[in-house]
């Protein structure tokens, strides 16, 4: 069948596929531990639930403006002032069906076919596919020094006359690394000098540890007029544990937002009215759930890192935030897809292969589960990989016997 070339070049979302596989195995009664997940397990804030239920009960659930309701935009404006120290106007804001849609619509608004989008590796799995979907060319930048903290000089080396945008995701999925303020400053200044669009994917910005605070990229911009190319992405999915509500947003110049709004208006119209009400309520409501999630994740991170340290050969960089850890398993396998499949087959632990994030030999492990998931999950991985481990492992009543070297 002659389907489109772009369509055929897009790979399936590995992380969503893994969720499916885990659900099927669980439904069969398999004792699966899911360390592959990208969503917090806590409940959505009560304010969000009550507000959404109220609108549904009214029976008056209608289209909203394509760029979001005035009420949600006001909540985003207030949020931007509180966390970025920046006052914006409603015309600087678009609410979308998740941060994912905001990024996609931003790329559609700024990129021509063949133009290049740069992002440091390891990177979120969707960036390359999103760039390809608009006919653009994704350009991942591997870290020259092998660290999870990109340097401007590495990025500079990949800039060509086709480069149009740079996507920065900090704290980062999959590494949990929060890039230093100095790097954010350098990127903003560099993009302004070269006329590039910096896209700041800040979806995890409040989920940071060890006393770190969210960084505002606006501080480093010399030009916040309507010519500014800075696009800031955020949303309720991660910090408010509202992944299924599908609300994210972008804050940018009025020119960029008006083009994004036109695109979104023909693509999906405004996001769901019910979910916008819920997101506004979460942003305006009691914020204790965010801090409580942040503290839980920091504790989970500590437990995971400690457990991994007891694992000979596995190297772990301590994540600064998010709910991911990205240990180096190259001492055990150079092929992360094979390793991840092996761990699922043998000990029923779901992990995400590092190659999907542009870094082979690593696995992304999630700290979203319970402490028991984390400790038992890592113990099972260790048992499967460590040649000195005992021959048998009990998972509940089930006895596993090592039949591999
Ligand atoms: C780095 C990054 N950006 C954006 C998103 C998308 O978030 P949303 O659920 O708001 O679409 C994710 C979700 O996994 C992510 O990890």
């Amino acid at each position: 069948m002659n389907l489109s070339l772009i369509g055929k070049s897009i790979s399936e979302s590995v992380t969503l596929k893994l969720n499916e596989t885990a659900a099927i195995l669980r439904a069969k009664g398999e004792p699966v531990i899911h360390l592959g997940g990208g969503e917090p397990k806590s409940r959505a804030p009560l304010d969000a639930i009550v507000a959404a239920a109220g609108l549904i009960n009214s029976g008056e659930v209608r289209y909203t403006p394509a760029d979001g309701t005035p009420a949600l935009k006001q909540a985003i404006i207030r949020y931007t002032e509180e966390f970025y120290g920046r006052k914006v106007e409603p015309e600087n804001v678009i609410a979308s069906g998740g941060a994912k849609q905001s990024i996609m619509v931003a790329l559609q608004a700024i990129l021509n076919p063949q133009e290049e989008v740069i992002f440091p590796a390891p990177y979120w799995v969707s960036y390359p596919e999103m760039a390809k979907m608009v006919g653009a060319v994704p350009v991942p930048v591997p870290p020259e020094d092998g660290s999870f903290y990109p340097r401007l000089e590495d990025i500079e080396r990949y800039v060509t006359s086709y480069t149009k945008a740079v996507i920065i995701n900090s704290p980062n999925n999959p590494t949990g690394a929060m890039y230093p303020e100095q790097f954010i400053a350098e990127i903003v200044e560099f993009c302004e000098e070269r006329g590039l669009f910096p896209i700041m994917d800040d979806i995890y910005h409040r989920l940071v540890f060890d006393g770190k605070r969210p960084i505002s990229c606006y501080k480093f911009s010399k030009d916040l007029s309507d010519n500014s190319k800075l696009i800031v992405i955020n949303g309720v999915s991660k910090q408010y544990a509202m992944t299924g509500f599908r609300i994210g947003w972008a804050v940018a110049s009025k020119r960029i937002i008006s083009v994004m709004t036109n695109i979104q208006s023909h693509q999906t119209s405004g996001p769901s009215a019910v979910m916008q009400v819920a997101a506004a309520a979460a942003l305006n409501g009691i914020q204790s759930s965010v801090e409580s999630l942040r503290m839980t994740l920091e504790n989970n991170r500590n437990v995971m890192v400690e457990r991994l340290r007891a694992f000979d050969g596995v190297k772990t960089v301590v994540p600064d935030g998010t709910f991911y850890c990205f240990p180096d398993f190259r001492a055990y396998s150079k092929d992360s897809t094979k390793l991840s499949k092996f761990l699922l087959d043998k000990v029923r632990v779901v992990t995400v292969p590092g190659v999907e994030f542009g870094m082979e030999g690593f696995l992304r492990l999630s700290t979203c589960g319970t402490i028991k998931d984390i400790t038992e999950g890592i113990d099972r991985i260790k048992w499967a990989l460590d040649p000195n481990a005992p021959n048998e492992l009990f998972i509940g009543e089930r006895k596993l016997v090592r039949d591999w070297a």
Side-chain angles (χ1 to χ4, degrees):
M1 207 187 295
N2 52 349
L3 300 173
S4 80
L5 289 176
I6 288 186
K8 284 192 288 186
S9 77
I10 305 301
S11 56
E12 75 181 327
S13 164
V14 182
T15 39
L16 295 185
K17 177 83 193 155
L18 278 168
N19 286 346
E20 234 174 79
T21 310
I24 292 169
L25 284 171
R26 274 206 183 114
K28 287 186 187 156
E30 293 289 336
V32 174
I33 293 182
H34 200 335
L35 297 184
E39 55 187 348
K41 295 290 182 293
S42 43
R43 279 172 64 86
L46 194 59
D47 291 314
I49 297 166
V50 170
L55 181 59
I56 290 187
N57 282 334
S58 78
E60 301 260 338
V61 183
R62 311 288 182 217
Y63 286 133
T64 75
D67 52 346
T69 59
L72 176 56
K73 284 185 164 220
Q74 276 309 324
I76 295 167
I77 289 168
R78 205 200 45 71
Y79 185 95
T80 306
E81 195 168 356
E82 179 174 354
F83 293 101
Y84 292 89
R86 168 121 184 98
K87 256 197 157 103
V88 292
E89 293 175 38
E91 297 79 14
N92 294 111
V93 177
I94 183 170
S96 309
K100 206 175 225 176
Q101 190 185 18
S102 288
I103 300 170
M104 191 63 224
V105 175
L107 297 182
Q108 288 172 314
I110 63 176
L111 290 167
N112 293 308
Q114 310 287 315
E115 288 179 336
E116 297 175 356
V117 188
I118 286 185
F119 40 84
Y123 48 78
W124 181 40
V125 288
S126 290
Y127 297 146
E129 307 310 298
M130 285 172 153
K132 286 196 269 171
M133 278 194 270
V134 294
V137 181
V139 180
V141 176
E144 243 355 91
D145 64 357
S147 88
F148 292 159
Y149 296 88
R151 298 172 309 171
L152 181 63
E153 62 214 77
D154 296 342
I155 289 180
E156 246 178 320
R157 222 171 291 135
Y158 284 77
V159 173
T160 70
S161 54
Y162 288 97
T163 307
K164 191 73 168 283
V166 180
I167 309 180
I168 298 296
N169 169 223
S170 169
N172 177 264
N173 175 4
T175 65
M178 179 180 177
Y179 304 158
E181 194 162 281
Q182 175 66 23
F183 175 74
I184 302 295
E186 285 171 0
I187 281 289
V188 171
E189 284 162 17
F190 177 75
C191 287
E192 279 185 358
E193 274 164 25
R194 300 288 186 100
L196 307 175
F197 289 82
I199 303 176
M200 299 297 183
D201 182 349
D202 285 356
I203 191 91
Y204 298 98
H205 79 151
R206 283 164 80 193
L207 300 179
V208 287
F209 315 139
D210 309 315
K212 295 191 167 60
R213 312 279 317 146
I215 296 171
S216 169
C217 51
Y218 294 110
K219 257 186 8 199
F220 311 112
S221 172
K222 291 197 182 69
D223 177 13
L224 287 173
S225 71
D226 206 39
N227 291 324
S228 168
K229 293 183 168 171
L230 188 54
I231 303 176
V232 176
I233 305 291
N234 219 316
V236 293
S237 284
K238 312 292 179 172
Q239 49 184 327
Y240 293 97
M242 289 172 67
T243 45
F245 286 71
R246 310 305 308 125
I247 296 292
W249 62 83
V251 176
S253 75
K254 293 178 186 175
R255 279 172 77 188
I256 297 175
I257 295 296
S258 85
V259 174
M260 287 177 67
T261 301
N262 290 343
I263 294 169
Q264 188 164 286
S265 75
H266 295 291
Q267 202 173 59
T268 52
S269 303
S272 153
V274 176
M275 298 318 166
Q276 288 189 68
V277 161
L283 294 177
N284 292 332
I286 297 168
Q287 298 297 299
S288 54
S289 71
V290 182
E291 180 54 12
S292 138
L293 172 63
R294 196 200 63 73
M295 286 191 323
T296 303
L297 293 174
E298 181 161 0
N299 186 47
N300 288 3
R301 186 257 339 230
N302 293 343
V303 171
M304 179 169 279
V305 167
E306 202 182 297
R307 211 72 174 187
L308 285 167
R309 285 217 169 116
F311 206 143
D312 280 345
V314 173
K315 293 194 201 118
T316 308
V317 175
V318 180
D320 304 308
T322 74
F323 30 74
Y324 309 112
C325 195
F326 200 56
D328 177 352
F329 279 87
R330 282 176 295 185
Y332 290 98
S333 172
K334 303 268 184 287
D335 183 333
S336 57
T337 308
K338 255 195 195 154
L339 180 61
S340 178
K341 192 170 175 322
F342 172 81
L343 295 173
L344 186 60
D345 287 349
K346 298 297 184 191
V347 286
R348 294 292 188 241
V349 179
V350 182
T351 59
V352 191
V355 70
E356 303 297 336
F357 307 93
M359 211 129 175
E360 187 49 296
F362 292 66
L363 292 178
R364 191 190 74 177
L365 307 179
S366 162
T367 59
C368 286
T370 60
I371 292 288
K372 187 170 176 289
D373 285 341
I374 294 170
T375 52
E376 199 179 324
I378 293 177
D379 288 352
R380 285 194 205 174
I381 295 176
K382 190 164 172 7
W383 179 77
L385 297 181
D386 183 357
N388 301 319
N391 231 25
E392 293 167 0
L393 176 80
F394 281 89
I395 299 179
E397 302 284 285
R398 187 183 297 196
K399 184 166 90 175
L400 299 183
V401 180
R402 279 173 76 95
D403 55 0
W404 57 94

